[in-house]
Amino acid sequence: MITSTKIRQAVEMEDGFVIYINGMRLNKLRALPRYLMAGLKVGKMFDRLAADPDSGFLGYEPALMGPRHGAAIQYWRSLEDIRRFASDPGDMHVPAWQWFNERDDGGLAFWSELYVIEPENYETFFRNVEGVGLSRFGRMVPMEEHERQLGLAGSVVAAEEPVVADGGT
C-alpha cells in the first residue's frame, strides 16, 4: 500500500524567465539520418548549456509529439541569455544551423516559439508531482502560502487529506 498526501503547490520565481519551445519533424523518410543527427546535436547543446551556470539555460523538458515529431520546452533566465547563445559563432548553435542549412531539402522541419515571461504574468499549479517544468528551477510553495497571479483555479478548494492507493483497484 502506498500512502501520499494531496499537496497543492505552486512555483515561485524571483525574476522573469523565458520559455523557448522548439521542435523538429521528419517530413520525408529519406531524411531520417539527418533527423537523428540533429537530435544528437541538440542533446549535446543541452548538455553543454546545462554544464555552464553562466549560460542562463535553466533546463528543458522533452515533448514527444508523435513518432516523427519531437520538441523541447526550454527554460532560460533571460532573453539576453538565449540571444547570446543563439548568435555566438564560437558556440554550438550557429554551426548546427549552418550544417542544417547546407543540407536543407525539405525532408526535415524545424519550428520554434519564444515567450518572455514577466514575474507577475504566469501561474503554476502542481499536485502530487515535482521535478517537472518550472518546479525544477523555482521555489515550490504550498498553495496556501502562494499569492495567485492570474487566478488559475482560484475557486477550487480541496482538502489536504491522505490518499491510499490500493494497488490499482
Side-chain angles (χ1 to χ4, degrees):
M1 180 183 347
I2 300 170
T3 303
S4 65
T5 302
K6 290 182 181 178
I7 300 174
R8 297 170 43 229
Q9 300 180 85
V11 172
E12 292 183 351
M13 303 278 285
E14 287 187 25
D15 299 313
F17 54 94
V18 173
I19 296 176
Y20 178 61
I21 306 170
N22 68 333
M24 162 172 83
R25 186 182 68 210
L26 180 64
N27 287 338
K28 298 177 182 170
L29 189 56
R30 65 178 154 70
L32 181 60
R34 286 197 352 265
Y35 178 79
L36 297 173
M37 180 58 72
L40 289 172
K41 288 177 180 289
V42 169
K44 288 179 182 178
M45 278 188 236
F46 290 161
D47 289 345
R48 209 267 323 136
L49 288 163
D52 178 8
D54 293 332
S55 70
F57 179 72
L58 300 174
Y60 77 100
E61 293 284 343
L64 181 60
M65 302 176 76
R68 58 187 186 100
H69 195 174
I73 305 165
Q74 300 173 43
Y75 300 90
W76 288 78
R77 184 177 49 218
S78 71
L79 183 58
E80 293 74 28
D81 289 326
I82 195 170
R83 283 180 174 159
R84 183 179 59 249
F85 169 69
S87 63
D88 183 352
D91 213 325
M92 300 172 82
H93 187 261
V94 171
W97 267 115
Q98 290 169 338
W99 170 84
F100 173 75
N101 288 330
E102 291 168 359
R103 294 160 180 80
D104 184 17
D105 64 356
L108 187 59
F110 282 94
W111 58 270
S112 66
E113 298 177 6
L114 180 74
Y115 304 94
V116 178
I117 313 296
E118 298 300 327
E120 66 280 358
N121 290 333
Y122 74 97
E123 187 66 76
T124 62
F125 177 85
F126 295 83
R127 185 176 194 137
N128 301 329
V129 64
E130 289 184 24
V132 297
L134 281 178
S135 73
R136 294 176 47 211
F137 319 113
R139 185 172 67 95
M140 295 289 285
V141 297
M143 282 306 238
E144 309 76 55
E145 299 171 19
H146 174 69
E147 183 176 335
R148 292 191 177 276
Q149 301 296 320
L150 304 176
L152 177 68
S155 62
V156 175
V157 177
E160 302 295 331
E161 59 190 50
V163 176
V164 178
D166 60 4
T169 58

